[in-house]
Amino acid sequence: MSTRWFGQPVRRNEDERFLTGKGRYVDDLQPAATLHAAVLRSAVAHGRITHLDVEAARQLEGVLAVWTWQDLGDVWRPSPMVVPNEALIHPRTQYPLARDKVNYVGEAVAFVVATDRYIAEDACDLIEVEYEILPAVIDLENAVSGDTLVHEDVPNNVAATLTQQVGDIERAIAEADHVFTERLYIERSAAQPMETRAIVAQWDSAERVLTMWDTTQAPLSIRNGLAVLLGLPENSVRVVAPDVGGGFGVKIMMFYPEEVLVPLAAMRLGQPVKWAEDRREHLIASNHERGQMHEASIAVRSDGTILGVKDIFLHDAGAYTPYGIVVPIVTATQLPGPYRIRNYFSESRTVYTNKVPVTPYRGAGRPHGCYVMERLIDRVARELEMDRAEIRFKNMIGPDEFPWDVGLTFQDGAPTRYDSGNYPAGLQLALDRIDYAGFRDLQERRRREGRYVGLGMASYVEGTGIGPYEGAHVRVDGTAQRVVVATCVGTQGQGHETSFAQIVADELGVRPDQVEITTGDSRSMNWGSGTYASRSAVVTGNAIGAASHAVREKAVALAAELFEANPADIELRDERIFVAGSPDSGLPIWDIAVVANPIRYAYGTQAARAIALLKQRQGPPLPEGTEPGLEARKYFSPEQATFASGNHAVIVEVDPETGIVTILRYVAVHDCGNVINPMIVEGQVHGGVAQGIGGSFYERLVYDADGQPLSTTFMDYLIPTAMEVPNIEVDHLETPSPLNPLGIKGAGEAGVIPVPALMAQALEDALGPWGVRVTEMPLNPGQIRALVRDAETRATAAEDTR
Ligand code: MCN
């Protein structure tokens, strides 16, 4: 019996390496004579550099270089604007080292290279730097109205105003029976991968080749950018992302200053240079996300039909916009979610503040959009006294309404057009799993015991798998009896070595553990862009599918010739290639790879029978028009995003005295089209939900009024642990995407998206007796307790006036 690997919960090929401590991370690399770098960072949020003296640092024994901006020559250029947009009229990107002004605490001011990290850090302490401190722009609303400017030439600190609309929102509002408005806030948080950022660079002056090992999610983009910046041919720069301990978006950036400074130092000093970020640096100087303030209105009929949504919001960009306005675009275009919204108006202002720059972090703008939409629906349900599930079903796009054009332009410039899905079925499944029908009884019973439980539900749609393209090279190595696959996406824990191998295994009739996937090495593929936007399964997966298929066709053609059979009758299964009906008479696929390489079989191999068969033929060793080697390279370029979706439901218990929330049950119904590996997808959903729980209750990046970050260690910035993350029950719904041959949609970010929305609703439900209203996230126990107290005070005041 042959197995179809696609769809199976195959154990991960990479796990043995990780679980036995054999992973190879950047900080594990220690080429001979490696030097170590450290960065002096701004201690003030906004200031002019009035004095900068590095002489004492240069004199310290063991120091090889201390650079300020003046030492960088031509390389002192702003980092590229990765995703330009017409609406972004005031783009600003960061220079590798600040010149006369700093714009956030953590901005790089000077760079030191020494024989060890201790000396490099000591040298940083010897650098004299003085600032004229300027008022800091911290609060989002003050930023747009105040006189204080982050960049003097950007009026009101507004980098971009983006309007997206469909239908006629003013008419919808005028015709509505009710219009409800909410002010909603989501605070900053950040990815916090287990492995912080790290770089090792080595310059081979004889070969004139620069090799950089980097925790980046986009090795090819970094390679291309570095080649331009350093004036080297592209193939003289090799960027490798080896094992990477999580990225979640924060490692997609191009360029962080160190990605320029470390390779430059390696070239100039002629010795390898290493820089590995510590956690404090990561918290204060690697990019953040979230941070939006919305004022949103929903227009409805009395029966709960949504007529339109209007959303005006401020997006905190931090000090620079290296990733353009991708995050607010995603928020705006994904806010309508699975609902039939014919009239929609969104206006975002992207606002500079004196904080760490904002670039996409898992979910990339979607948790905020989902939060706003779901909060609005909850408000309608409450005001109209409707069941919250019923109002959702009433307004959901039906399974027969695809393709559904939301009428907006997505982050890739293509239409936000949902390709397939079944949103009501997903919600129903989540509600059945969590026993929504029986919940009111449970809630009543618990309340009688003095316990407060609440249920939440939330739904989202997620654009995944955007272009422009990715490629793959698939080669059967007959001697090693392995299939070797090169891609150029990076991997940070997503299990690509297994899920991609499953696609290959099906095409070539081998096992996934016989397929070796290389990711993240710019030498193995020349074109591609990276791992982000939950795109690798869709884009690389389909490129791998196409390349494996091409290899299969080549093997079939060769075998047909050897067996004097019709190609249509050739099958591949269990590592063998044979004429249908007579598997025993076939050959191992590995032998076909050997005969596909006439040079190799000239040296003698074990594929004797295949060679003998081949020699019986007339003519050249390979059929005419056949290239040697059982290998192929293919690319896949999707025309637009494919839209995944999901529905989560939760039951929480809240202690009104302490504000502590316990998650009693968590159900995630997820639709990412055809699932390659359900176990991996479940892991992806689990990880996303855990980060969503962090963003709902624990993770908050706090700045004081002067722009000093207060969350600079894991004592202050709390990450949920296994104690806080409940058992997550995952169910898959599979509505294949019609936009790619494998019918896949992305899965990597999904889990995180609906969590704050869901938790807000569950909190309100649990604290129903107090009439608590949730308008911001995250909420810690003190804030939840304060919400209860405020509600009590309001109730007492109302009593008194009566
Ligand atoms: N998959 C599948 N079937 C599908 C869709 C996906 O089996 N229908 C599998 C894929 O083959 C892959 C994994 O699920 O093994 C995730 O695939 P995909 O959704 O394509 O996401 P990417 O591989 O492009 O990864 C990026 C995505 C993003 S954007 C963030 S952020 C994120 C995430 O993945 N960061 C992660 N998941 C992460 N997981 C870990 N462990 N670490 C991170 O940094």
Side-chain angles (χ1 to χ4, degrees):
M1 261 303 287
S2 80
T3 318
R4 183 167 145 79
W5 297 102
F6 193 114
Q8 301 295 324
V10 176
R11 281 203 185 176
R12 302 200 325 170
N13 286 339
E14 48 271 75
D15 282 350
E16 197 209 329
R17 187 167 85 245
F18 293 144
L19 295 174
T20 55
K22 294 187 196 123
R24 189 164 161 271
Y25 297 87
V26 173
D27 200 26
D28 294 330
L29 305 171
Q30 190 75 15
T34 297
L35 302 171
H36 296 264
V39 180
L40 177 77
R41 300 183 184 281
S42 171
V44 304
H46 198 196
R48 271 181 225 299
I49 301 174
T50 51
H51 174 73
L52 181 59
D53 184 347
V54 297
E55 275 321 304
R58 282 192 175 136
Q59 300 312 318
L60 188 69
E61 197 180 331
V63 169
L64 283 102
V66 183
W67 294 345
T68 67
W69 71 275
Q70 281 167 306
D71 301 296
L72 301 186
D74 279 356
V75 169
W76 192 76
R77 284 188 236 172
S79 70
M81 165 53 57
V82 182
V83 199
N85 187 295
E86 273 178 12
L88 180 57
I89 50 173
H90 296 296
R92 294 290 178 275
T93 59
Q94 190 176 333
Y95 286 79
L97 293 172
R99 186 173 63 178
D100 39 21
K101 188 163 171 273
V102 286
N103 290 318
Y104 64 95
V105 170
E107 183 160 357
V109 173
F111 182 71
V112 175
V113 185
T115 47
D116 71 39
R117 178 69 182 257
Y118 297 98
I119 297 174
E121 296 280 355
D122 287 349
C124 283
D125 287 346
L126 293 175
I127 296 173
E128 289 175 23
V129 55
E130 285 167 23
Y131 304 95
E132 174 201 338
I133 293 180
L134 302 170
V137 180
I138 300 303
D139 178 81
L140 256 184
E141 286 177 295
N142 287 346
V144 285
S145 57
D147 304 328
T148 312
L149 298 176
V150 176
H151 303 284
E152 281 137 21
D153 52 350
V154 180
N156 295 355
N157 294 308
V158 177
T161 302
L162 180 76
T163 305
Q164 289 240 34
Q165 58 186 314
V166 58
D168 182 346
I169 187 63
E170 295 311 330
R171 194 163 145 205
I173 288 176
E175 289 177 358
D177 297 324
H178 306 275
V179 177
F180 303 112
T181 300
E182 292 278 330
R183 271 172 67 79
L184 301 162
Y185 183 57
I186 298 245
E187 180 62 281
R188 266 185 183 232
S189 53
Q192 300 311 319
M194 238 191 281
E195 179 202 29
T196 53
R197 296 192 299 111
I199 298 160
V200 172
Q202 185 170 27
W203 170 243
D204 181 333
S205 56
E207 297 279 342
R208 293 194 59 75
V209 170
L210 174 73
T211 305
M212 178 158 105
W213 294 267
D214 184 0
T215 52
T216 180
Q217 292 172 227
L220 267 180
S221 308
I222 297 283
R223 194 270 319 257
N224 296 343
L226 267 186
V228 173
L229 201 61
L230 301 173
L232 292 168
E234 276 175 9
N235 59 9
S236 294
V237 183
R238 179 184 180 199
V239 176
V240 185
D243 288 327
V244 175
F248 309 111
V250 70
K251 293 174 180 168
I252 190 73
M253 169 73 174
M254 174 174 161
F255 293 112
Y256 280 106
E258 301 82 5
E259 283 169 318
V260 174
L261 298 168
V262 174
L264 183 69
M267 286 180 76
R268 285 195 185 168
L269 299 172
Q271 273 176 260
V273 178
K274 178 191 278 195
W275 170 79
E277 187 185 51
D278 64 29
R279 183 61 62 182
R280 184 172 157 278
E281 281 182 294
H282 188 76
L283 277 155
I284 67 168
S286 285
N287 295 354
H288 298 165
E289 216 232 81
R290 315 304 191 228
Q292 287 182 357
M293 165 69 83
H294 289 251
E295 184 156 317
S297 304
I298 187 163
V300 286
R301 286 207 195 101
S302 306
D303 67 356
T305 305
I306 301 172
L307 296 181
V309 170
K310 180 174 183 176
D311 180 41
I312 311 283
F313 70 100
L314 300 176
H315 168 77
D316 181 357
Y320 301 99
T321 44
Y323 238 76
I325 50 173
V326 164
V327 175
I329 291 176
V330 174
T331 303
T333 50
Q334 300 270 256
L335 185 143
Y339 305 108
R340 204 182 289 110
I341 296 174
R342 301 283 189 193
N343 302 294
Y344 175 62
F345 177 89
S346 161
E347 183 191 280
S348 66
R349 274 177 293 166
T350 296
V351 181
Y352 287 117
T353 57
N354 290 116
K355 297 186 233 171
V356 170
V358 160
T359 54
Y361 153 41
R362 198 178 209 171
R366 296 177 186 87
H368 336 23
C370 179
Y371 186 71
V372 173
M373 188 66 226
E374 296 287 322
R375 291 278 64 203
L376 288 175
I377 297 191
D378 290 340
R379 171 85 187 271
V380 175
R382 190 171 70 238
E383 299 275 358
L384 303 185
E385 296 179 0
M386 281 183 74
D387 177 80
R388 53 203 158 133
E390 186 196 331
I391 188 167
R392 285 175 164 81
F393 283 124
K394 186 181 193 93
N395 288 290
M396 269 181 174
I397 297 157
D400 50 352
E401 294 181 82
F402 292 94
W404 174 269
D405 204 334
V406 182
L408 308 170
T409 305
F410 196 49
Q411 70 180 111
D412 54 356
T416 309
R417 190 167 48 218
Y418 300 167
D419 46 324
S420 65
N422 192 343
Y423 310 142
L427 180 57
Q428 191 59 56
L429 189 53
L431 296 181
D432 290 346
R433 288 275 185 274
I434 203 121
D435 189 20
Y436 180 57
F439 178 71
R440 282 287 170 241
D441 275 356
L442 173 80
Q443 189 176 45
E444 281 310 314
R445 282 203 309 277
R446 291 284 176 272
R447 279 189 191 163
R448 283 197 292 275
E449 296 161 12
R451 293 171 62 188
Y452 297 91
V453 294
L455 182 146
M457 63 185 78
S459 305
Y460 65 91
V461 175
E462 179 198 2
T464 66
I466 56 172
Y469 59 80
E470 287 295 336
H473 179 255
V474 173
R475 180 169 63 87
V476 181
D477 181 335
T479 315
Q481 305 204 341
R482 315 280 291 164
V483 184
V484 184
V485 179
T487 74
C488 210
V489 290
T491 297
Q492 304 86 43
Q494 292 89 344
H496 294 148
E497 287 174 45
T498 310
S499 52
F500 291 168
Q502 289 173 250
I503 297 171
V504 179
D506 280 341
E507 281 288 348
L508 298 181
V510 298
R511 296 191 313 272
D513 64 5
Q514 294 171 309
V515 182
E516 263 168 45
I517 306 282
T518 305
T519 59
D521 185 342
S522 70
R523 273 270 167 99
S524 59
M525 284 294 293
N526 223 14
W527 309 102
S529 77
T531 300
Y532 55 92
S534 301
R535 65 190 289 277
S536 309
V538 174
V539 192
T540 307
N542 278 287
I544 288 175
S548 317
H549 189 72
V551 170
R552 178 193 177 97
E553 289 198 323
K554 191 166 175 183
V556 165
L558 274 167
E561 173 124 4
L562 291 179
F563 303 147
E564 295 175 351
N566 184 341
D569 294 334
I570 303 289
E571 285 186 19
L572 282 90
R573 197 199 303 158
D574 300 334
E575 299 169 57
R576 291 185 75 76
I577 187 159
F578 54 90
V579 180
S582 50
D584 296 340
S585 67
L587 288 169
I589 175 82
W590 317 116
D591 291 5
I592 294 290
V594 171
V595 298
N597 179 353
I599 306 290
R600 187 174 302 150
Y601 76 71
Y603 287 102
T605 73
Q606 72 274 48
R609 192 170 148 247
I611 292 166
L613 280 172
L614 197 72
K615 284 190 172 152
Q616 288 167 13
R617 297 167 49 253
Q618 301 293 313
L622 287 176
E624 219 183 306
T626 308
E627 287 179 10
L630 211 47
E631 63 180 352
R633 187 189 307 273
K634 292 282 174 192
Y635 292 87
F636 180 70
S637 180
E639 62 189 76
Q640 63 153 81
T642 167
F643 287 82
S645 62
N647 313 76
H648 292 201
V650 73
I651 296 177
V652 301
E653 177 165 354
V654 187
D655 182 339
E657 288 302 317
T658 61
I660 288 176
V661 179
T662 310
I663 300 170
L664 302 178
R665 278 199 65 197
Y666 198 107
V667 170
V669 173
H670 180 255
D671 182 355
C672 60
N674 293 332
V675 175
I676 307 168
N677 185 323
M679 186 176 67
I680 288 179
V681 168
E682 279 172 33
Q684 290 291 307
V685 173
H686 290 176
V689 171
Q691 284 180 308
I693 290 172
S696 301
F697 299 120
Y698 304 98
E699 300 184 43
R700 178 193 295 267
L701 286 157
V702 183
Y703 282 83
D704 73 9
D706 298 326
Q708 286 297 331
L710 303 180
S711 334
T712 62
T713 71
F714 279 168
M715 293 286 282
D716 319 296
Y717 185 86
L718 301 181
I719 305 247
T721 68
M723 296 294 287
E724 288 80 34
V725 178
N727 178 36
I728 298 158
E729 303 159 49
V730 182
D731 243 309
H732 305 281
L733 205 71
E734 290 183 77
T735 57
S737 171
L739 299 176
N740 63 77
L742 296 176
I744 310 174
K745 304 174 182 181
E749 293 165 276
V752 76
I753 298 170
V755 190
L758 174 83
M759 294 300 181
Q761 190 195 104
L763 285 179
E764 284 189 357
D765 191 35
L767 298 172
W770 286 266
V772 159
R773 299 285 165 258
V774 176
T775 56
E776 67 175 289
M777 278 285 170
L779 288 174
N780 64 29
Q783 290 167 304
I784 293 171
R785 175 70 195 121
L787 287 176
V788 174
R789 269 208 213 107
D790 290 350
E792 280 169 347
T793 314
R794 275 200 309 276
T796 318
E799 274 300 273
D800 291 350
T801 46
R802 225 180 283 150

